[in-house]
Amino acid sequence: MTKDAHSIVPLFAVPLYVNEGIKFSNKSLNYIKKLDYKVISGSNGKISLDNYILNDSNLIDLKNIVETEIENYVRQEMRISDNINFYLCNSWVMKHTKGHRAPEHFHGNSIISGIMYLQCDDKSGDLTFSKPGTHTNFIHPCFVLDYDDWNINNSLSWTFRPRPGDIFLFPSFLYHRVAESLSDNERYCIAFNIFIKGDLGIKEREKITALYLK
């Protein structure tokens, strides 16, 4: 009998970057708790009035963390050449209390998006990513099949239970949502968008597809 040596290669998988338990200062969290917020309709919580919060000099430690993780994602994991620069665009704090949630959505006018959790617990609401309806990695979503077990190859969604210090980076087109908070404690996280600048396509033999973003 020959040895079973089969394998599954996650070909063309959507690259979700996760780093858990990153250390940050309580000073930053305390500062964030004192920010001004406005209510979002539909039990979606509150959002900071400042939509460029990582430019705040009081949160330089968080900005450094986020920028380091972005570099890890695009250079070490995605192997993108350094002639393309990735930079933070807008960034904001989400504040959720009991009963608040975040409906399924994606981020427009962005290349990469991210979430860093600063305060949460087991009842604060899980984070779920969903496969876009146009993305077919196995069988088209119009076919509804039964599965004995769910895994990253056959699932239409994947759920995480965030902890303080967890960071998630993902292509901005990826749909995601946060379940309703059942916790008596406030949930705080920073969300942000990332764009690119530089010379795209300069290594190609023909320059007809080159794009220069300044």
Side-chain angles (χ1 to χ4, degrees), residues 8-22:
I8 292 291
V9 178
L11 193 63
F12 309 129
V14 177
L16 169 67
Y17 177 96
V18 182
N19 197 355
E20 300 176 334
I22 298 172

Side-chain angles (χ1 to χ4, degrees), residues 40 44 87 153 155 163-164:
I40 303 176
N44 294 340
Y87 65 96
N153 298 308
S155 294
R163 300 286 190 271

Side-chain angles (χ1 to χ4, degrees), residues 10-15 130-142 152-157 171 173-175:
L11 193 63
F12 309 129
V14 177
S130 300
K131 185 170 72 171
T134 56
H135 181 79
T136 303
N137 63 320
F138 177 44
I139 294 176
H140 195 278
C142 69
I152 61 172
N153 298 308
N154 61 23
S155 294
L156 298 179
S157 63
F173 65 77
L174 190 60
Y175 281 89

Side-chain angles (χ1 to χ4, degrees), residues 39-45 99-101 103:
V39 176
I40 303 176
S41 61
S43 297
N44 294 340
H100 288 160
R101 60 185 179 84

